[in-house]
Each structure stands twice: as structure tokens, then as C-alpha cells.
Amino acid sequence: MAPTSSRFSRRALLAGFGAGATTLALSACGSNDGGTGGGGGGGGTSLSQWYHQYGEEGVQQAVTDWAKSYKGASVSVQWTLGDYASKLSSRLLSGSGVDVFENNAIDPASARKGLYADLSDVMDPIKDQFSEVALKPVTIDGKIWGIPMITDPQLLWYRPSMLQKAGIAVPTTFDELLQAGTELTGGNQKGLFFGNDGGAGVFSQAIAVAAGPGFLSEDNKTVTFNTPEVVAGLTALQKAYKDGAMLTGSPTDWTDPTSFNAGLAAITWQGMWALPAMEKALGDDLGVMAVPQVGGSGKQAVLVSQWNEQVAAKASNLDAAKALAKAQWVDDAEFQKKFAVGFGFHVPPKTATAEATTELQEGLAKQVVDLTSKWGYTAGPFWAPAMGTALTDAATRMLTNGADVATELAAAQKTCQQTLDSLAS
């Protein structure tokens, strides 16, 4: 989600990647202001369902209409304005006022403290219907704590006409990508736009993935991003920044494609949510690619973030709350398709639903889906917000201050390992 002033506001939260959006603490909504809704039958059962404030027109009406049509309970939609994270957290801690809720940052500590209901009984029988990358952010200690709602791939987009004019082929290696950025820079045009921070945020994390190790070991015990390949990748990014190949100070950050559409950069980092706006502005002058492999042991990378539906452990009626979450996000494929592509542009996490979504079956949308299926990456819930901040802060010092890459990366790894150790069960 982008900032609330932007029409892409539902996506700037997803944008922090954090591999499954978990580097982002929940943010963008409020508490008792904005509550709406109604429900169907349910034999007198009443449930409260929380959403943060989405920026796209039509989302609030759609979720309210779904709640009114639901026959299993009377559902009150809490359309939350302001600081969603803190308001939701206080309600979960108090154990009242929230039964079902959305979350983009499922937290191991909250799961272990008993704030979330274990949804393994709902998800285990049908988890093969979801992609592995969608299940990782909702899985802690072998249990499933949420139902994936929407998936947002983030990767590289480029203007073919600009590359052709400069006689540059579409990059297939990381070095070619940064070299193209330098060669495409001139006049009012920059070669690369990885964010107004020069790529210190999400793109530095993309390098860690494309270099091979990603953030964490498979058992979530060890921070893995401090390798020679990642050092080399970040050193190359530092040079491109110093050489002036990066667009910074843009009127809008990367989550909004306005600057890219206006020709201020030839290659940009962007989420799939912006595809309709980019196609409307650019027509056929648009291409997409995964982040190229960094180093000899790396692999291409598409970073994936998502929102998930959860149930409060202290829900007023736990069985009814689980039934509602399942009805909406497992059973109702038509609503899931509408929610994914009817307002923004996203991928339904259920494989069959994504395959049945017409808008994703051709052109660049299909290319993104295919690239995500092959190269999608999420670190999961153990990659905590503080860890993403530590890596971003280190990358910022590398780019803006010219700090030594190896030293900064080692310090960031130490900080992240301390945080990870604190999450050990």
C-alpha cells in the first residue's frame, strides 16, 4: 500500500515487502471510528470483522455487502481509520471488540501469547490449494494462524522504447541491470528508480534474495544475508547510486507509478498493483522482469507480500468466527476474485482462484504470475519489522554516506540475529 494520500494507498503497507509484508508493522487504520456494516442470519450470533482503511474506491462497500449477505452470523464491519496496528493490538490484548480481522504482519510473539486463534483445523485439509509462498507468512511453529487474502508481487518494470533508443538489451544479469541504469541516465531521465531512498529499503532486500541466501535459514534460527555475494551486490548498488543513476527526490515514491509513467526513469521497482495504471499511461511501452541473479550462487527474485485473515483467540464465538473466515477466504472464490482485481490489482493466493481470474491470464499480468510462481520469495513471520529496519538503516548509510558495505552488513546481521534469538521458542 501507498501513503493514504495516494490512490494506491492500500498497497504501501504491502510494499515494505518484508517478505510477506512482515517487515511492516500493521499500519493504516483505526479503531472505533468508521464502523459500518450489518449481517445476515446466524441465529443471533454477532461478530465484529475488522479492516484497515483501503484507498481504492469500492472496497468498503464490497466488504459491507458481503457481511450483509452472510447467513452464518450478524457481521458488523469495523472500517478502521488511523493507526490500525495499535488499535487492533489493544483490542486483541483486551479480548473484546474484535472477532475476525485482517493482518499483514503476523507476529510469532502474539501467536505464542494466545492472541490469535489457531486455524490449522481450517487450513490443514486444504493447504495444498495455496502456494507455498502464500502459506509461509501465516505459519508459526508448525501451525497456521491465518488465511491468505491477497498476494502482491514486487519486481522490475521497464520502458522498452527507452532501452531500444539507447541500444541496450533487456538486462539478464545484475551487473547488466546496474550498467543499463548508468547508460540510460541523461537529461531529465534517470536509469533506475528503486525508491526515493535510492533502493535502501526494498531493493537492498531484493539483493539479499537474488544473491541466494535470503534473510533466514529454513529453521528460522539463523540470519543468512551476510555473504560475499550480498556484499558485492550492495557494493555495486552503492556505485550506481554514487554515479547518479538513481532517481531520488521524486514527487511520489515507487509505490505510485506516476514518476515512472512520466518518463523520469527507464527501469523501476514496482508492485503488480500498479499494472493497470502503467498500462493505461504507457500502452505497449512496458515490460517486466524479475530481479536478475546476483553472483554465481544466486537466483532470480520476485518479492511477495500479502494480507491475511485471522481470528481472535478470544472471539466472542470462536467457531462462528472461524466459519466466517473460511466462508469468505476459502469458499467464496467469486468474492476473492473481485477483491483481488475489482479495485486494485493483485493475485488471489488460492491457486485455483488465481487460475480462474480472467484478468491474470494474459499479457503482462500473466508474466508476473508466472515469474512469481517460479521465483517468488517471502521470509515469513520470523523476519520481524526491527530486522527489516536494521538492514534498511545499514543500506541507507552505505548509499547516502558511502559507509563500508561489509562493515555495515555485518553489523546489521548481528542486530538481526539478536532480534531473531529473542523470538526463539
Side-chain angles (χ1 to χ4, degrees):
M1 298 192 154
T4 54
S5 61
S6 164
R7 65 183 291 255
F8 298 93
S9 59
R10 122 151 118 145
R11 306 311 158 204
L13 289 180
L14 290 166
F17 164 54
T22 51
T23 57
L24 293 168
L26 269 161
S27 59
C29 304
S31 95
N32 287 332
D33 21 327
T36 64
T45 300
S46 297
L47 297 173
S48 175
Q49 184 174 27
W50 280 47
Y51 293 88
H52 79 285
Q53 183 186 17
Y54 285 80
E56 295 89 344
E57 184 178 352
V59 182
Q60 183 176 4
Q61 188 64 51
V63 299
T64 301
D65 288 348
W66 190 93
K68 289 179 178 178
S69 70
Y70 182 60
K71 304 302 181 184
S74 177
V75 183
S76 174
V77 170
Q78 182 66 45
W79 189 257
T80 313
L81 311 177
D83 184 358
Y84 182 72
S86 63
K87 293 175 181 179
L88 175 62
S89 178
S90 67
R91 288 305 183 95
L92 291 174
L93 286 168
S94 69
S96 64
V98 57
D99 297 301
V100 184
F101 60 96
E102 61 177 7
N103 190 348
N104 75 326
I106 292 178
D107 169 44
S110 296
R112 291 166 176 169
K113 288 177 182 176
L115 300 184
Y116 308 148
D118 180 2
L119 299 183
S120 300
D121 57 337
V122 174
M123 290 295 292
D124 279 346
I126 47 91
K127 64 182 181 181
D128 60 346
Q129 298 178 24
F130 292 81
S131 67
E132 181 179 346
V133 75
L135 288 174
K136 192 170 184 179
V138 301
T139 304
I140 298 169
D141 301 334
K143 298 177 180 179
I144 299 179
W145 303 93
I147 304 173
M149 294 168 56
I150 51 173
T151 294
D152 274 291
Q154 298 165 39
L155 62 177
L156 295 169
W157 303 79
Y158 60 92
R159 298 280 298 273
S161 65
M162 292 183 176
L163 272 66
Q164 291 167 6
K165 182 178 179 180
I168 297 173
V170 177
T172 59
T173 69
F174 188 73
D175 289 342
E176 288 177 0
L177 171 67
L178 297 186
Q179 180 62 32
T182 299
E183 295 178 7
L184 288 163
T185 295
N188 294 325
Q189 174 186 303
K190 293 290 187 178
L192 305 169
F193 185 32
F194 297 154
N196 279 330
D197 61 2
V202 290
F203 200 73
S204 66
Q205 299 185 36
I207 289 173
V209 178
F215 302 133
L216 305 176
S217 59
E218 285 298 317
D219 61 4
N220 295 311
K221 300 295 185 184
T222 306
V223 176
T224 57
F225 60 69
N226 185 18
T227 68
E229 290 80 10
V230 177
V231 170
L234 287 171
T235 300
L237 184 70
Q238 184 186 58
K239 182 178 186 302
Y241 182 93
K242 183 179 179 180
D243 290 345
M246 308 286 189
L247 174 63
T248 58
S250 167
T252 58
D253 213 340
W254 69 267
T255 53
D256 183 326
T258 301
S259 295
F260 177 66
N261 292 347
L264 298 184
I267 302 171
T268 190
W269 180 261
Q270 184 54 264
M272 182 177 174
W273 59 79
L275 177 56
M278 291 191 294
E279 287 190 317
K280 181 178 180 180
L282 303 174
D284 293 335
D285 190 18
L286 184 64
V288 66
M289 62 180 174
V291 179
Q293 173 180 326
V294 177
S297 60
K299 58 187 177 183
Q300 296 181 59
V302 175
L303 305 192
V304 178
S305 54
Q306 69 187 37
W307 283 86
N308 313 287
E309 189 78 344
Q310 292 189 267
V311 172
K314 297 179 181 178
S316 57
N317 185 321
L318 188 57
D319 289 341
K322 286 185 175 184
L324 184 155
K326 180 178 183 294
Q328 189 171 27
W329 297 108
V330 175
D331 300 334
D332 195 342
E334 289 307 310
F335 177 78
Q336 293 157 28
K337 288 190 288 184
K338 180 180 181 181
F339 197 82
V341 301
F343 317 105
F345 206 69
H346 318 278
V347 182
K350 281 187 68 181
T351 304
T353 305
E355 292 173 349
T357 303
T358 304
E359 293 86 345
L360 302 179
Q361 301 311 308
E362 60 183 9
L364 289 170
K366 187 176 189 305
Q367 289 184 44
V368 174
V369 172
D370 290 345
L371 288 169
T372 305
S373 177
K374 189 171 184 179
W375 303 114
Y377 176 88
T378 177
F382 286 87
W383 179 250
M387 298 160 75
T389 298
L391 182 54
T392 296
D393 288 349
T396 298
R397 290 188 290 271
M398 297 172 200
L399 297 180
T400 61
N401 300 333
D404 181 73
V405 172
T407 300
E408 289 290 343
L409 197 64
Q413 183 188 32
K414 181 178 180 180
T415 298
C416 291
Q417 188 65 55
Q418 291 171 343
T419 302
L420 184 63
D421 291 344
S422 72
L423 298 176
S425 56

